[in-house]
């Protein structure tokens, strides 16, 4: 779980510069929620590209939940990047007025996808690539909205567990209240990731590290002293969320098919 | 003898830009009085080519890229990595490296051990080389290996048994593990191997890795040279491009082999007899 944050910063800022440069871009754009992951990603982007080349869209639903809107603005100000606030409530409300629901997950997913469409619209307007902010913990258990917050051009944080993102945040000098506030997907007021997942990130990350990096079986993880129920639940979440991590399958009919045997690198286009 | 490791970040699939990068680096080496300039694995094409393999393949004896390299590198020796397709083996693509001396290709090594698990899928796109030969250079016999070859004991042994005193390896090794004090954890594996091989073969071990990113994979850099006593001569930066010149004395090979008589005492015929027995038994 330990990382050398200075080395990670060096690698990730170089990654951001190279991914943009290769695609012929020099600007990056990302959604800034007021939470830890997007704050870390924005900081890395500013260090990689300079504040003039990083745009942060702050996209609350109405006034947002809790302190997030104020926190996002504070981070944007401290980083001196290009920030814009766009209230997504008119678009989201218009839809749910016609197709009402009481299901907060449906509402939350719609909000995440609303933000995605705005990010990609801005991406084309200002010629900036969308930086992803999903961490390894979320990606592995599928704690994200497909085509919503999971959508991006490239993702600097996707191989860092939440615990490691926190260590990187401390190295980057992010304010303590941002680093210690309860992580939330902001799908509804008062929501926290840990309550919804049913595990603390510390515990989740430790079990994930054994299952994924250590390639251990569920039984081996239980033998280490972790509760069977938790290990089994995490293993189930990983298996059940593969669809969020891959391109969808294509029925193969011809002799050469996208994804099957038409195999080009993501980065290899001039 | 002045040697330089060109720890570059090639552009994936773009031979024109990579050729320019090579020519600029050759010019830089010329100004620095370098005798031997080494580029990393697949330096002309980039590594994660997948279906670009066939599109970037070249015949080194006729293609314009090699003509330019041979012309530019006249005054020195250079090692270049590329995708090879020879007219004698059409449709077979090799992950190859060429040793060019004074404008003439004197040796081509085809990668023998192709990694094909986890993040690697070379066997899906490349054919395997079958031989490890040593070759004459102005500084004595040398051997040439490519990346994963370097992690197979028998590859080093063949270079040693073939009489080399300089073992050159070109690489596109990704970095893995970021908990350590300096660089990637995986860089230790290459360094420890390099030091051990230098000691056990009383040879120079010259390892040139690349940097940069391809489809998210980070190439680790950390190129190095060990002398025939196992001392680190020089090491390049981790995780970023570098140009590492170093001075080595080929007479160190003789000095090391006088002190440590591993080469004199080696018994390849015994190795061969035992290998034949082991391979035969395995067939039962």
């Amino acid at each position: 779980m330990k990382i050398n944050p200075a080395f990670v910063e060096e690698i990730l800022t170089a990654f951001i510069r190279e991914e943009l440069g290769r695609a012929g871009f020099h600007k990056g754009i990302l959604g800034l929620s007021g939470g830890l992951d997007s704050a870390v990603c924005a900081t890395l982007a500013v260090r990689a590209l300079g504040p003039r080349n990083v745009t942060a869209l702050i996209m609350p639903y109405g006034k947002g939940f809790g302190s997030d809107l104020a926190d996002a603005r504070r981070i944007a100000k401290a980083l001196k990047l290009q920030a814009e606030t766009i209230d997504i409530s008119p678009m989201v409300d218009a839809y749910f007025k016609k197709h009402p629901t009481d299901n907060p997950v449906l509402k939350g997913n719609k909000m995440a996808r609303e933000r995605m469409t705005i990010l990609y619209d801005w991406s084309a307007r200002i010629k900036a690539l969308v930086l992803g902010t999903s961490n390894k913990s979320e990606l592995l258990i599928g704690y994200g909205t497909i085509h919503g917050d999971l959508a991006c051009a490239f993702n600097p944080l996707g191989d860092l567990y939440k615990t490691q993102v926190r260590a990187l945040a401390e190295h980057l000098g992010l304010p303590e209240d941002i680093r210690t506030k309860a992580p939330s997907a902001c799908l509804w007021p008062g929501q926290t990731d840990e309550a919804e997942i049913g595990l603390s990130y510390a515990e989740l990350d430790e079990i994930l590290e054994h299952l994924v990096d250590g390639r251990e079986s569920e039984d081996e993880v239980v033998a280490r002293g972790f509760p069977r129920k938790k290990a089994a639940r995490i293993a189930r979440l990983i298996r059940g969320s593969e669809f969020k991590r891959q391109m969808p399958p294509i029925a193969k009919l011809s002799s050469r098919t996208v994804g099957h045997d038409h195999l080009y690198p993501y980065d290899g286009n001039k | 003898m002045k040697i330089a490791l060109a720890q570059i970040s090639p552009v994936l699939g773009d031979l024109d830009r990579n050729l320019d990068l090579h020519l600029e680096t050759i010019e830089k080496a010329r100004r620095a009085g370098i005798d031997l300039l080494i580029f990393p694995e697949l330096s002309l094409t980039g590594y994660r080519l997948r279906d670009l393999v066939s599109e970037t393949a070249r015949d080194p004896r006729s293609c314009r890229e090699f003509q330019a390299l041979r012309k530019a590198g006249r005054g020195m020796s250079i090692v270049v990595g590329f995708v090879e397709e020879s007219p004698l083996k059409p449709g077979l693509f090799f992950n190859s490296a060429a040793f060019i001396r004074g404008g003439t290709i004197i040796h081509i090594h085809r990668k023998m051990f192709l990694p094909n698990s986890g993040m690697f899928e070379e066997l899906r796109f490349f054919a395997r080389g079958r031989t490890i030969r040593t070759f004459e250079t102005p500084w004595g016999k040398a051997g040439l290996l490519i990346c994963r070859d370097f992690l197979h004991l028998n590859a080093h042994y063949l270079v040693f048994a073939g009489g080399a005193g300089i073992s050159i390896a070109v690489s596109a090794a990704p970095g893995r593990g970021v908990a350590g004090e300096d660089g990637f954890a995986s860089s230790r594996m290459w360094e420890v191997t390099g030091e051990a091989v230098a000691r056990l073969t009383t040879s120079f071990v010259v390892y040139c890795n690349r940097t940069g990113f391809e489809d998210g994979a980070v190439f680790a850099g950390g190129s190095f040279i060990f002398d025939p006593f196992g001392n680190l001569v020089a090491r390049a930066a981790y995780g970023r491009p570098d140009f590492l010149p170093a001075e080595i004395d080929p007479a160190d090979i003789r000095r090391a082999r006088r002190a440590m008589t591993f080469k004199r005492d080696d018994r390849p015929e015994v190795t061969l007899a035992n290998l034949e027995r082991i391979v035969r038994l395995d067939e039962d």
Side-chain angles (χ1 to χ4, degrees):
Chain A
M1 199 56 68
K2 188 184 152 228
I3 59 166
N4 173 348
F7 186 58
V8 169
E9 181 197 347
E10 186 188 328
I11 296 295
L12 294 182
T13 49
F15 175 62
I16 292 168
R17 269 191 303 268
E18 266 205 37
E19 283 304 304
L20 285 174
R22 177 182 344 257
F25 287 75
H26 60 275
K27 285 196 274 190
I29 186 166
L30 78 167
L32 199 60
S33 67
L36 181 71
D37 298 328
S38 61
V40 167
C41 195
T43 307
L44 290 170
V46 164
R47 294 196 184 179
L49 309 168
R52 295 165 61 89
N53 291 319
V54 182
T55 298
L57 297 187
I58 301 167
M59 296 175 283
Y61 175 78
K63 291 194 168 86
F65 308 131
S67 65
D68 286 331
L69 179 56
D71 290 344
R73 285 187 167 145
R74 179 158 56 100
I75 295 160
K77 202 173 166 196
L79 290 172
K80 299 188 173 68
L81 44 65
Q82 316 301 304
E84 193 76 34
T85 303
I86 299 171
D87 177 8
I88 62 168
S89 63
M91 306 73 133
V92 172
D93 288 348
Y95 176 79
F96 284 115
K97 199 173 166 191
K98 212 157 176 202
H99 305 281
T101 178
D102 293 329
N103 184 340
V105 176
L106 291 187
K107 286 186 177 169
N109 282 338
K110 175 73 181 155
M111 289 179 204
R113 293 190 182 111
E114 200 59 54
R115 294 186 179 105
M116 180 277 293
T117 65
I118 296 167
L119 273 172
Y120 272 84
D121 177 63
W122 274 65
S123 156
R125 282 171 194 246
I126 65 168
K127 295 187 172 51
L129 285 186
V130 177
L131 278 78
T133 61
S134 299
N135 61 53
K136 188 172 183 176
S137 314
E138 296 171 333
L139 286 174
L140 281 170
I141 61 168
Y143 195 68
T145 300
I146 188 168
H147 307 308
D149 52 305
L150 291 175
C152 63
F154 63 97
N155 179 352
L157 297 189
D159 202 19
L160 292 171
Y161 290 114
K162 186 79 179 189
T163 307
Q164 296 170 323
V165 176
R166 284 205 183 108
L168 182 59
E170 191 178 351
H171 162 77
L172 294 173
L174 266 66
E176 198 186 343
D177 61 320
I178 302 290
R179 287 191 277 118
T180 53
K181 86 173 172 186
S184 169
C186 299
L187 300 183
W188 55 85
Q191 183 211 20
T192 67
D193 294 358
E194 293 179 330
E196 210 191 349
I197 300 167
L199 284 156
S200 73
Y201 270 113
E203 206 171 11
L204 171 67
D205 287 353
E206 232 185 301
I207 295 174
L208 283 173
E209 195 179 38
H210 290 303
L211 286 172
V212 176
D213 301 74
R215 298 174 195 255
E216 290 178 15
S217 70
E218 211 179 290
D219 288 340
E220 286 170 306
V221 172
V222 173
R224 285 180 176 277
F226 292 98
R228 163 84 58 189
K229 237 179 110 182
K230 288 179 176 172
R233 178 166 150 72
I234 292 171
R236 204 168 52 243
L237 285 170
I238 297 173
R239 279 195 300 276
S241 56
E242 201 53 48
F243 72 99
K244 296 188 180 184
R245 293 186 290 271
Q246 291 194 26
M247 290 288 281
I250 292 170
K252 184 165 172 65
L253 300 172
S254 72
S255 62
R256 206 165 177 216
T257 310
V258 171
H260 291 268
D261 37 28
H262 182 264
L263 300 171
Y264 286 88
Y266 194 100
D267 284 341
N269 304 304
K270 289 185 213 177
Chain B
M1 172 199 180
K2 278 175 117 172
I3 200 163
L5 306 182
Q7 184 171 290
I8 58 170
S9 170
V11 184
L12 185 57
D14 193 336
L15 273 99
D16 291 341
R17 278 172 70 184
N18 290 328
L19 179 61
D20 287 345
L21 179 59
H22 281 65
L23 297 178
E24 285 161 24
T25 311
I26 289 169
E27 190 45 44
K28 183 175 177 177
R30 181 188 314 289
R31 285 197 301 271
I34 298 300
D35 301 302
L36 171 60
L37 173 63
I38 301 170
F39 290 95
E41 176 182 15
L42 293 173
S43 60
L44 271 179
T45 59
Y47 177 74
R48 198 182 142 82
L49 294 159
R50 315 196 86 199
D51 276 357
L52 289 173
V53 161
S54 61
E55 296 169 30
T56 53
R58 293 292 184 271
D59 172 17
R61 298 201 152 74
S62 63
C63 73
R64 70 171 183 87
E65 289 85 2
F66 266 75
Q67 277 170 16
L69 288 171
R70 281 152 59 185
K71 192 170 162 214
R74 279 249 157 83
M76 65 181 91
S77 293
I78 57 176
V79 175
V80 184
F82 65 107
V83 181
E84 180 192 6
E85 184 182 20
S86 117
L88 297 173
K89 293 183 187 287
L92 297 192
F93 308 103
F94 295 96
N95 178 340
S96 293
F99 191 105
I100 306 170
R101 175 184 160 189
T104 307
I105 300 170
I106 63 165
H107 180 72
I108 290 175
H109 173 65
R110 294 171 173 164
K111 189 173 187 176
M112 193 185 244
F113 296 100
L114 305 185
N116 208 52
S117 65
M119 65 188 289
F120 303 106
E121 47 178 11
E122 286 186 38
L123 274 174
R124 199 172 181 181
F125 303 101
F126 285 106
R128 282 185 286 192
R130 296 171 52 84
T131 54
I132 290 181
R133 286 195 186 91
T134 53
F135 51 96
E136 294 284 345
T137 74
W139 314 283
K141 270 193 178 173
L144 184 52
L145 302 175
I146 302 177
C147 208
R148 176 60 76 83
D149 293 340
F150 193 78
L151 300 176
H152 285 259
L153 280 175
N154 44 350
H156 291 295
Y157 181 72
L158 291 173
V159 170
F160 175 61
I166 301 175
S167 181
I168 300 163
V170 299
S171 193
R176 285 176 280 185
V178 291
E181 288 294 304
D182 197 12
F184 288 101
S186 53
S187 294
R188 297 292 95 71
M189 172 178 73
W190 297 92
E191 290 160 7
V192 167
T193 305
E195 179 180 346
V197 168
R199 284 177 190 276
L200 298 179
T201 65
T202 44
S203 302
F204 284 101
V205 172
V206 181
Y207 170 83
C208 185
N209 194 19
R210 58 162 291 182
T211 55
F213 298 82
E214 289 180 0
D215 288 7
V218 194
F219 297 98
S223 304
F224 56 75
I225 302 171
F226 283 96
D227 74 15
F229 299 97
N231 300 311
L232 183 67
V233 176
R235 207 208 69 218
Y238 292 121
R240 59 173 185 272
D242 202 355
F243 179 85
L244 184 72
E247 184 113 35
I248 64 169
D249 181 1
D252 278 345
I253 301 164
R254 179 172 181 268
R255 290 186 194 109
R257 288 181 182 186
R258 204 170 46 193
M260 306 295 279
T261 57
F262 303 141
K263 179 62 185 169
R264 187 198 71 189
D265 303 339
D266 184 36
R267 302 174 69 194
E269 71 289 354
V270 174
T271 307
L272 180 63
N274 278 277
L275 276 177
E276 278 175 347
R277 178 184 51 79
I278 289 165
V279 171
R280 208 168 45 238
L281 282 178
D282 202 41
E283 279 174 357
D284 290 344

